[in-house]
Amino acid sequence: MNHLAVYCGSATPEDPRYVELAREVGATLAQRGIGVVYGGGRLGLMGAVASGALAAGGEVIGVIPEALAGSEVANHDCTELHTVSGMHERKQKFTDLSDGFVTIPGGVGTMDELWEAMSWAQLGYHTKPVGLLNAFGFYDDLIAFNSKMAEVGFVRPAHQNILIHSDTMPELLDAMTAYQAHTPIFRMKAEDL
């Protein structure tokens, strides 16, 4: 993995553990020689991931929509900063530039990015690992919900291991590196669906 897209919040929670976690994620990726592809902002967890990676000598590629770039939230300290027309183009650029996806704590936008990465993997638009850092138990309920979807039958057996999750970044990166691509829906026969 040369580059990973990092999905996270642009907000700054009151609990300082979240900002520190984001900095550590950026630094860990840089120390492993993995470039960060992220939302291009300088605020919240996004900005902390970027500053952590840059402080550790890493590469940071930001991808920001025009509407946000013009509102003074763009991080011009990035190694590269791509300005795109909107959110759809932004998410496509994340997929094009990265070798996988890591989600750390965030809100609605973060969830949109995570679920799209998982959906695209199921369908076969990409075969890249999709990781979820469950720091502080933040995603316990989401992991349980994903298991519930599988249990009920809304996630096929072939796709139940798309979401890779761990409580620590080193374990998550090791699991993502070992990821074996599944059979996507586009390559399944009707009787398998």
Side-chain angles (χ1 to χ4, degrees):
M1 295 185 297
N2 295 315
H3 294 90
L4 286 178
V6 179
Y7 298 145
C8 62
S10 60
T12 304
E14 287 185 28
D15 186 338
R17 296 181 304 167
Y18 290 99
V19 171
E20 184 55 36
L21 171 73
R23 281 192 193 103
E24 289 173 13
V25 166
T28 298
L29 292 173
Q31 289 159 2
R32 288 198 179 203
I34 300 171
V36 170
V37 179
Y38 87 117
R42 60 178 176 77
L43 304 176
L45 270 61
M46 265 200 239
V49 167
S51 65
L54 290 167
E59 178 185 19
V60 176
I61 301 171
V63 183
I64 193 165
E66 290 171 353
L68 292 175
S71 65
E72 299 181 11
V73 299
N75 184 353
H76 295 284
D77 293 332
C78 293
T79 311
E80 295 176 29
L81 183 61
H82 299 266
T83 302
V84 295
S85 63
M87 295 302 287
H88 293 295
E89 187 179 348
R90 179 194 220 182
K91 290 186 285 185
Q92 182 64 58
K93 194 85 165 163
F94 286 151
T95 302
D96 293 344
L97 293 173
S98 69
D99 302 305
F101 311 89
V102 171
T103 299
I104 67 172
V108 173
T110 304
M111 292 300 90
D112 174 54
E113 292 163 338
L114 170 64
W115 289 114
E116 184 165 285
M118 289 175 60
S119 175
W120 285 16
Q122 276 186 170
L123 291 168
Y125 285 113
H126 72 76
T127 57
K128 302 171 184 184
V130 179
L132 181 70
L133 182 60
N134 188 30
F136 321 122
F138 186 82
Y139 286 119
D140 285 349
D141 293 336
L142 185 140
I143 293 166
F145 176 64
N146 192 57
S147 295
K148 180 70 171 182
M149 288 190 298
E151 176 187 317
V152 171
F154 288 113
V155 178
R156 293 167 181 84
H159 304 136
Q160 290 177 8
N161 294 318
I162 288 175
L163 182 62
I164 303 164
H165 55 87
S166 178
D167 298 344
T168 71
M169 195 63 181
E171 284 180 11
L172 181 61
L173 290 174
D174 290 345
M176 291 176 69
T177 300
Y179 173 71
Q180 296 293 314
H182 57 280
T183 302
I185 289 173
F186 292 158
R187 291 195 3 235
M188 291 179 155
K189 296 184 171 145
E191 59 268 18
D192 298 326
L193 299 173

